Amino acid sequence: MLLWLASVLPQPLADQTCLATTVYLEARSESTIGQYAVAEVALRRRDRGTWGDSVCEVVTSPRQFALTTTASTFEVTDLNSWTKAWKIAGDSISNWSLPKGERTVYVPQADHFATLAVTTTWSTKRVKTIGEHAFYAVSN
């Protein structure tokens, strides 16, 4: 339902909805910094344009983020985590609209992440580990 809602919202709200959903699905159990880092990866990918020109296009690219691998019947049940994800998404979009030199950056150059439980074969360029996620610079 959130993706449908994003499809009818004006662009700024659509992007925040898609990014908040991604943060919620990927990192709701992570620290605030870990959640900002997940949002940063999506925004960096949007800027690069390889995965799409909007946040919604990026996070719905096949097999890239949890939005494409989570059942469409999934429901947001943790309202506190959703509220936090919504705030982080909005803050991240605002931060990313600043000139590059003025942005707060948590995972420089990272354009991928994976849970530590997964052994990646697609990159050895780990930028940082935050909580249960490793962040990688793959497309640099």
Side-chain angles (χ1 to χ4, degrees), residues 59-137:
V59 298
T60 59
S61 293
R63 296 174 305 281
Q64 296 299 306
F65 289 92
L67 272 172
T68 64
T69 60
T70 301
S72 62
T73 56
F74 179 85
E75 294 182 14
V76 171
T77 56
D78 183 342
L79 294 182
N80 289 332
S81 292
W82 171 254
T83 301
K84 183 177 180 183
W86 181 262
K87 181 183 180 328
I88 285 172
D91 290 350
S92 296
I93 290 168
S94 294
N95 176 55
W96 218 249
S97 69
L98 297 171
K100 284 186 180 183
E102 296 177 25
R103 294 176 187 166
T104 300
V105 176
Y106 298 99
V107 285
Q109 304 303 314
D111 54 13
H112 286 72
F113 64 88
T115 178
L116 295 176
V118 173
T119 302
T120 62
T121 57
W122 37 262
S123 181
T124 57
K125 285 181 66 178
R126 186 182 293 193
V127 172
K128 194 175 220 178
T129 300
I130 302 173
E132 293 299 313
H133 287 106
F135 293 84
Y136 299 89

